[in-house]
Amino acid sequence: MPHRLMLLDTASLYFRAFYGVPDTIRRADGTPVNAVRGLLDMIARLTTDYEATHLVACWDDDWRPQWRVDLIPSYKSHRVATVVAGAADVEVVPDALEVQIPMIRRVLDLAGIAVVGAAEHEADDVVGTYASHAGLPVDVVTGDRDLFQIVSDARQVRVIYTARGMKNLEVVTDVVVVGKYRVLPEQYADFATLRGDASDGLPGVAGIGEKTAASLLGEHGTLDGLLAAAADAASGVSASVRSKLDAAADYLEVAPRVVKVVRDLELPSLEEAGAQLHPVVGESRAELERLAAEWNLGGSVRRLLDALDHRDPSS
């Protein structure tokens, strides 16, 4: 089997699992396990259907990095449950999901699935770094369109987009991004900066929506190119667009750094992280099977083990 790396935007997936699998699925003590079971089923299906040989569950070590908040204070502010001085703010997470996150980490560890995060950075930045330097074909699994910016047919990086559910997965390539937004993937971050994104607390440029943003980038290539043209009285940028860009000058000075995923983090190599998938054997398998019974994860663990049993690390 040709080597292929799959990168999971893990939080995106366990939130989707939590809301997509009935919360009546619980341990004997009443603790919900729907997110755990849903995530394991996703991993089993995704790695099988897309023939992944390597897998990294990318983790939000900091879901709202302070350096991004310093640049744009509204960044993800609507998702803050508790502000913590000198540390990462607490995200709004349902209690019934919060209690399952340690279980998720435990099961991934027993299954030999690499979990990688980076201090002061989001999972998106871990995804961006691995996708940019993997040296093998990459599938990024996420429900977050921000990661469309790393799609690249030339580097064989695709996004498996989950926004419409696991039964309606969409494989996002260059042509799909262009078809959806009329911009190239490498223009997507500038496009999102101009358009804004309420889900991330990014205001965008008032009066510039998707169509105008795409048109401007189609003409000027990049945000820097657009701003340079707007500063040139002899250019064809309209007075209306000049006025809108000028009013948003402070935002436009900092927003690109917030919107663009980091691609140069110091991360363990795929080998160091243990990203190559392999069958679970020995004590790890016995413990995983024991916990499957204790936590009412039986079917989901069996499906994951079966998927991993078909991964030959020597291939």
Side-chain angles (χ1 to χ4, degrees):
M1 179 184 296
H3 283 184
R4 187 170 201 93
L5 171 63
M6 179 168 283
L7 301 171
L8 305 181
D9 178 5
T10 314
S12 168
L13 297 184
Y14 65 60
F15 266 93
R16 177 164 295 280
F18 176 74
Y19 288 109
V21 178
D23 63 6
T24 52
I25 299 176
R26 296 172 177 260
R27 291 173 56 175
D29 66 1
T31 304
V33 293
N34 56 325
V36 186
R37 291 190 64 152
L39 179 63
L40 297 185
D41 281 334
M42 288 178 185
I43 293 173
R45 175 187 165 186
L46 288 162
T47 54
T48 299
D49 288 357
Y50 295 98
E51 300 184 329
T53 58
H54 295 67
L55 177 69
V56 178
C58 301
W59 205 264
D60 280 321
D61 275 14
D62 190 341
W63 69 279
R64 188 176 182 248
Q66 188 60 46
W67 60 270
R68 281 189 165 111
V69 177
D70 289 343
L71 294 170
I72 298 182
S74 63
Y75 182 65
K76 295 186 177 180
S77 60
H78 59 296
R79 289 160 53 184
V80 175
T82 306
V83 175
V84 181
D89 293 335
V90 177
E91 185 179 11
V92 176
V93 179
D95 291 344
L97 172 56
E98 186 75 34
V99 73
Q100 297 184 63
I101 294 175
M103 297 186 207
I104 289 171
R105 290 294 298 255
R106 176 68 173 143
V107 172
L108 293 179
D109 179 61
L110 287 170
I113 292 171
V115 177
V116 179
E120 300 179 353
H121 287 84
E122 302 171 51
D124 283 8
D125 302 315
V126 178
V127 170
T129 297
Y130 276 127
S132 298
H133 304 283
L136 64 159
V138 177
D139 285 327
V140 174
V141 185
T142 184
D144 184 354
R145 58 184 179 172
D146 288 347
L147 285 167
F148 289 175
Q149 64 187 272
I150 66 172
V151 167
S152 171
D153 287 359
R155 289 186 292 104
Q156 294 183 280
V157 177
R158 313 182 299 187
V159 164
I160 310 301
Y161 192 46
T162 65
R164 294 186 297 170
M166 293 299 293
K167 293 182 179 180
N168 296 287
L169 296 174
E170 182 176 18
V171 178
V172 179
T173 59
D174 287 11
V175 70
V176 173
V177 175
V178 172
K180 283 178 177 288
Y181 302 108
R182 296 191 298 129
V183 296
L184 295 167
E186 55 264 34
Q187 295 175 304
Y188 188 84
D190 286 346
F191 169 76
T193 296
L194 289 166
R195 176 203 62 200
D197 191 338
S199 67
D200 280 339
L202 298 173
V205 177
I208 293 183
E210 287 198 355
K211 290 183 178 180
T212 302
S215 177
L216 291 170
L217 290 172
E219 184 174 354
H220 300 284
T222 65
L223 178 58
D224 286 343
L226 170 60
L227 294 176
D232 180 1
S235 74
V237 178
S238 71
S240 173
V241 168
R242 290 176 197 271
S243 176
K244 290 168 184 174
L245 294 174
D246 185 61
D250 290 344
Y251 164 78
L252 290 172
E253 185 175 352
V254 297
R257 188 173 171 217
V258 175
V259 174
K260 290 179 181 177
V261 301
V262 177
R263 301 187 186 218
D264 59 358
L265 293 175
E266 292 188 9
L267 299 175
S269 68
L270 295 179
E271 184 178 1
E272 291 167 342
Q276 187 157 15
L277 294 172
H278 54 79
V280 183
V281 298
E283 293 182 4
S284 293
R285 190 179 189 105
E287 178 67 1
L288 190 53
E289 290 174 339
R290 185 188 71 79
L291 292 178
E294 179 184 327
W295 292 351
N296 187 27
L297 304 175
S300 299
V301 166
R302 283 193 300 274
R303 285 184 285 274
L304 178 62
L305 288 173
D306 184 61
L308 295 175
D309 284 342
H310 288 84
R311 295 297 179 268
D312 180 0
S314 65
S315 63

